[in-house]
Amino acid sequence: PDPMPLPRLGRGSMGGMQSLALPLGKGPHQVGCVDVMVGHTRQGLFLRLFYPCLPRAGAERPLWIPRYEYCGGLADFAHRSRRWCAPLLNATIGSCRVPVSWNGPFKPCSRRYPLIIFSHGLGAFRTLYSSVCSELASWGFAVAALEHRDHSASATYFCPVEAGSEEWIPYQHVPQGQKEFYFRNKQVHQRAEECVRALRLFEDIDSGKSVPNVLHQDFDLSVLKDSIDLTKVAVMGHSFGGVTAVLALVKEPSFRCAVALDAWMFPLENALYPEVPKPVLFINTEKFQTPESVAKMKRLSSRNSQTKIITVLGSVHQSQTDFTFLTGKLLSRIFGARGTLDPYKGLDITSRAALAFLQRHLNLEEEFHQWDDLLEGIGDSVVPEAPFCRPNL
């Protein structure tokens, strides 16, 4: 089964006004973001970088859905007709903006910022986790949200050398007659390798190499030199991105730990479990996981006592994406976006648990440790290795 619930569209009623109210980060830093595309082939990289920035009057806020083509991709992913679903999505959420400063001035810091490489879920793309990425950036992290080119993004593109041209990479469903495991396993390896290449990109910048941004943004990547702490790097992701983060720990020794949001463990081959050397924080939602999936997580926690599994009660799979902040009945229904837990509280729990875990395993000097209870599953909304039930597919 696809790990993202498919949209169920109601007929007739538009269900009231749609809007997206993404929260501002709660940390001490304002947040900027820039899109970075490196290379002119699909072997290059595409990511959105969230980072601490200096305040700027009248700063532009970037669109949440960056291009119309992504609306068509979401329709394809959800097995809907592009003809009506893409314009509907564009009309309802196409003008939503992310409350960060577009290409905002990078904030210099006497201590370098730790780095998080973030991997999106199946059918998503680089901007759909802006709330959690900007929250972490507000606490002093650089967060590189990848857009994967393994046909698991609902849409993405690269820019061949010919001036002004683009080549789009569509979402691909599992081909008929092919076993899903083999199809997804190949993708998860490509995704983890893209996470490693993203780390290499920041190493290149730090070594003083000139890294041209194909998108010609009004942001000079060389300002990152001597500003990112490449000894304090974590990998994080949601769903397909969660298991991507786990696999990235196997492929790259520089990743010190992983945070896996509602990880879809299915695509990882059994032989790799003994190979995962570093601690993982699994933050699960109440409705998505299966006993088989949780058993796989427990295999990892039995090998590493620092690996933790917690479950956020009242949450659904989409609670860890920006979709949970959509208001209006229609789109909440389309994307199965709401659990019973308040979305702002859900984001708060997720980010605080992640910060406590990152503090511990990246040896950060900031004082996040007052939140360690969350790592042990202590609190009204959080339980360790919670009761799981089958996903509503």
Side-chain angles (χ1 to χ4, degrees):
D2 273 351
M4 239 169 102
L6 293 182
R8 287 180 178 79
L9 279 169
R11 289 170 188 261
S13 161
M14 278 299 283
M17 286 298 289
Q18 307 296 329
S19 67
L20 180 78
L22 288 183
L24 282 163
K26 289 185 172 172
H29 302 280
Q30 292 200 20
V31 178
C33 82
V34 60
D35 280 341
V36 179
M37 189 184 287
V38 177
H40 288 281
T41 69
R42 64 175 65 214
Q43 283 70 47
L45 274 179
F46 192 16
L47 59 88
R48 176 165 285 190
L49 180 66
F50 295 82
Y51 54 87
C53 83
L54 297 168
R56 186 171 64 175
E60 183 190 349
R61 293 179 163 194
L63 285 167
W64 181 53
I65 307 289
R67 298 275 298 270
Y68 180 79
E69 286 87 348
Y70 291 94
C71 294
L74 286 168
D76 291 346
F77 169 70
H79 297 278
R80 304 289 167 194
S81 160
R82 270 184 177 235
R83 201 173 72 241
W84 63 265
C85 191
L88 173 68
L89 288 170
N90 189 52
T92 50
I93 53 178
S95 60
C96 298
R97 292 186 179 267
V98 183
V100 296
S101 176
W102 182 236
N103 293 331
F106 186 79
K107 184 178 184 177
C109 181
S110 54
R111 279 206 306 261
R112 294 171 175 232
Y113 299 118
L115 175 66
I116 299 169
I117 307 293
F118 192 97
S119 172
H120 64 72
L122 195 62
F125 40 93
R126 70 189 186 283
T127 66
L128 295 190
Y129 301 88
S130 294
S131 47
V132 70
C133 292
S134 55
E135 175 65 25
L136 293 168
S138 79
W139 290 100
F141 288 82
V143 185
L146 284 169
E147 191 161 284
H148 290 295
R149 290 170 165 176
D150 60 333
H151 293 280
S152 68
S154 62
T156 186
Y157 67 100
F158 63 96
C159 300
V161 179
E162 303 85 58
S165 69
E166 295 173 350
E167 191 166 320
W168 283 81
I169 301 169
Y171 177 78
Q172 196 176 342
H173 293 279
V174 180
Q176 244 183 332
Q178 195 168 343
K179 280 203 159 50
E180 183 171 24
F181 173 79
Y182 297 110
F183 185 70
R184 298 300 183 201
N185 177 257
K186 189 175 172 212
Q187 286 183 314
V188 79
H189 278 272
Q190 179 176 333
R191 292 163 134 262
E193 280 152 18
E194 287 177 334
C195 292
V196 175
R197 290 214 306 277
L199 174 59
R200 297 283 172 270
L201 169 67
F202 288 95
E203 290 171 350
D204 285 350
I205 292 168
D206 204 59
S207 71
K209 271 192 191 163
S210 169
V211 176
N213 187 353
V214 171
L215 300 175
H216 306 300
Q217 300 284 305
D218 192 15
F219 182 93
D220 183 357
L221 292 173
S222 67
V223 300
L224 303 177
K225 181 173 162 31
D226 302 326
S227 297
I228 307 290
D229 191 339
L230 295 169
T231 69
K232 296 181 177 177
V233 186
V235 60
M236 182 172 182
H238 174 249
S239 193
F240 204 5
V243 76
T244 302
V246 173
L247 179 56
L249 291 182
V250 178
K251 291 187 184 278
E252 176 49 60
S254 297
F255 290 134
R256 290 177 53 177
C257 59
V259 178
L261 305 179
D262 227 9
W264 185 44
M265 300 301 289
F266 169 78
L268 199 60
E269 61 266 42
N270 287 332
L272 278 171
Y273 285 88
E275 306 288 321
V276 178
K278 306 279 176 60
V280 182
L281 171 61
F282 290 102
I283 306 179
N284 293 338
T285 65
E286 192 178 356
K287 300 292 187 202
F288 177 68
Q289 294 297 337
T290 62
E292 296 81 13
S293 187
V294 174
K296 290 178 175 181
M297 295 173 189
K298 287 183 175 177
R299 276 182 70 185
L300 294 182
S301 64
S302 70
R303 294 181 170 276
N304 188 321
S305 62
Q306 293 300 306
T307 286
K308 302 283 182 192
I309 309 168
I310 60 174
T311 298
V312 183
L313 300 181
S315 60
V316 299
H317 196 50
Q318 300 290 22
S319 299
Q320 295 172 329
T321 74
D322 293 342
F323 285 119
T324 194
F325 294 101
L326 284 173
T327 61
K329 293 175 190 159
L330 175 68
L331 289 188
S332 291
R333 193 159 68 237
I334 291 179
F335 290 105
R338 280 287 171 93
T340 54
L341 182 68
D342 174 73
Y344 295 90
K345 183 163 189 204
L347 173 64
D348 195 46
I349 290 167
T350 298
S351 54
R352 283 170 54 187
L355 286 166
F357 183 80
L358 294 167
Q359 154 103 39
R360 188 181 290 180
H361 297 294
L362 299 182
N363 299 331
L364 304 180
E365 292 175 40
E366 284 78 3
E367 291 298 311
F368 300 140
H369 62 252
Q370 70 268 30
W371 300 329
D372 274 10
D373 279 358
L374 284 168
L375 296 188
E376 310 305 332
I378 300 169
D380 296 344
S381 304
V382 190
V383 286
E385 298 174 21
F388 37 73
C389 41
R390 293 219 162 255
N392 304 321
L393 292 172

